Amino acid sequence: MTDFTLDIYRTLLETLQAKGYRLISYREYVITRSRDLDEKFVILRHDVDAKPLNSLRTAQIEHALGAKATYYFRCGKESNNPEIIRAIVQLGHEIGYHYEDMSLCGGDPEKAYDHFKTWLDYFRQYYAVETICMHGAPTSQYDSKDLWKHYNYKDLNILGEPYFDTDFSDVFYLTDTGRCWDGYKVSVRDKIPGYQEEWTKKGLSWHTTPQLIRAIEADQLPKHVMMTTHPQRWTNDPKAWYLELVMQTTKNIIKRLWIKN
Ligand SMILES: [Zn+2]
């Protein structure tokens, strides 16, 4: 089965369900604080960096399987598409704000906070947003999480931000950053410092989706997981698939050079 297609994404979810994992949104995780639960779950987090139509496709697959996911939308046109946001809400998923206000406002916290509040209100027209998630913006010198050194998102009735409100001593983190499952090696901001080394030592590291599926089948995946995917990478269209492969391979080479410096 070809990697990074919608078909293999569906198979991945079906494999998790067959192994007894409940597929939940980030909001559900924050509300239940499932640390002591015996139940197995995977938080389905999607960062809609671009190509929002692809997110509708994964949302439909999840809906058909009875799964709930969270879709984090950016304010820019490359991500923010009202029709698609509405359609994903209709499918019963959670919507959140994929914020990058510090990098958009040149690192000025006051401006960034106003910008953040404006866009939070915008997304709240479509869905009662209760969770937010930083967009990594690897080419920006600003880390948008730094906004929370000056302000508190809980004042805006936000319950959670995956980077701050996930108990990573209990929840294992998987991300398709770099268009593979071990891209933390080349990621600038999408990684969990302190825990990643430990997970790698335990052998919890896979490169391709077929390898990840085999690990799930062999009961090697921890019982509590957050899985971040960027739906723009997942497509059944051969031309778009090939373009994504070439672009991501180039990006990984550049990121590797940055990290070494
Ligand atoms: Zn992002």
Side-chain angles (χ1 to χ4, degrees):
M1 204 179 241
T2 312
D3 209 346
F4 289 97
T5 56
L6 292 170
D7 295 334
I8 202 162
Y9 183 67
R10 186 197 310 266
T11 305
L12 172 61
L13 297 188
E14 285 170 343
T15 310
L16 286 166
Q17 287 183 321
K19 281 291 176 179
Y21 286 91
R22 221 153 60 78
L23 306 177
I24 64 171
S25 67
Y26 188 61
R27 180 183 177 277
E28 196 174 342
Y29 166 75
V30 171
I31 281 177
T32 50
R33 293 281 172 202
S34 324
R35 187 184 171 87
D36 301 320
L37 282 187
D38 242 358
E39 187 189 36
K40 290 155 86 176
F41 65 80
V42 176
I43 303 158
L44 296 180
R45 170 182 143 198
H46 298 290
D47 292 356
V48 186
D49 283 0
K51 297 190 190 169
L53 186 61
N54 286 35
S55 287
L56 182 57
R57 300 279 172 261
T58 52
Q60 285 164 333
I61 291 170
E62 289 153 352
H63 177 73
L65 295 173
K68 292 250 185 287
T70 305
Y71 285 82
Y72 290 109
F73 283 88
R74 298 168 71 187
C75 58
K77 283 215 160 44
E78 68 278 62
S79 167
N80 172 7
N81 178 318
E83 271 77 67
I84 294 202
I85 296 171
R86 274 195 209 102
I88 293 178
V89 171
Q90 283 291 309
L91 292 169
H93 298 299
E94 182 194 8
I95 300 294
Y97 178 25
H98 199 33
Y99 66 96
E100 52 191 310
D101 309 271
M102 279 294 259
S103 49
L104 294 175
C105 298
D108 178 335
E110 250 173 70
K111 266 195 211 160
Y113 190 55
D114 278 343
H115 192 272
F116 179 89
K117 285 190 290 186
T118 303
W119 284 100
L120 179 65
D121 286 345
Y122 166 84
F123 286 111
R124 279 179 169 166
Q125 299 175 87
Y126 305 105
Y127 184 86
V129 172
E130 286 177 305
T131 74
I132 54 167
C133 179
M134 181 263 311
H135 170 63
T139 54
S140 171
Q141 66 181 109
Y142 302 106
D143 186 330
S144 283
K145 293 198 293 303
D146 287 347
L147 186 55
W148 313 123
K149 290 179 178 165
H150 306 271
Y151 300 94
N152 186 349
Y153 50 78
K154 301 216 165 149
D155 294 342
L156 302 170
N157 295 320
I158 287 162
L159 305 174
E161 208 293 6
Y163 290 95
F164 297 106
D165 299 294
T166 310
D167 177 3
F168 287 110
S169 67
D170 173 61
V171 176
F172 169 63
Y173 186 62
L174 268 176
T175 172
D176 71 351
T177 280
R179 201 179 179 277
C180 53
W181 294 101
D182 52 2
Y184 52 83
K185 293 170 189 164
V186 295
S187 175
V188 181
R189 296 203 175 98
D190 187 14
K191 53 183 163 196
I192 313 298
Y195 292 103
Q196 191 58 61
E197 299 74 23
E198 211 177 298
W199 292 330
T200 312
K201 254 189 246 157
K202 284 187 191 158
L204 299 173
S205 177
W206 305 281
H207 185 61
T208 67
T209 310
Q211 285 167 358
L212 174 59
I213 289 173
R214 278 196 294 277
I216 299 163
E217 285 168 342
D219 297 313
Q220 288 164 1
L221 194 72
K223 85 184 177 181
H224 297 162
V225 180
M226 175 188 289
M227 187 168 90
T228 298
T229 54
H230 298 78
Q232 83 244 27
R233 305 187 199 293
W234 299 76
T235 176
N236 278 353
D237 170 26
K239 220 170 107 188
W241 184 93
Y242 187 70
L243 202 67
E244 187 59 36
L245 171 74
V246 172
M247 280 191 14
Q248 196 56 56
T249 308
T250 315
K251 274 199 221 164
N252 287 356
I253 292 168
I254 296 168
K255 284 195 204 167
R256 220 171 257 136
L257 290 172
W258 280 346
I259 284 172
K260 276 186 189 146
N261 286 329

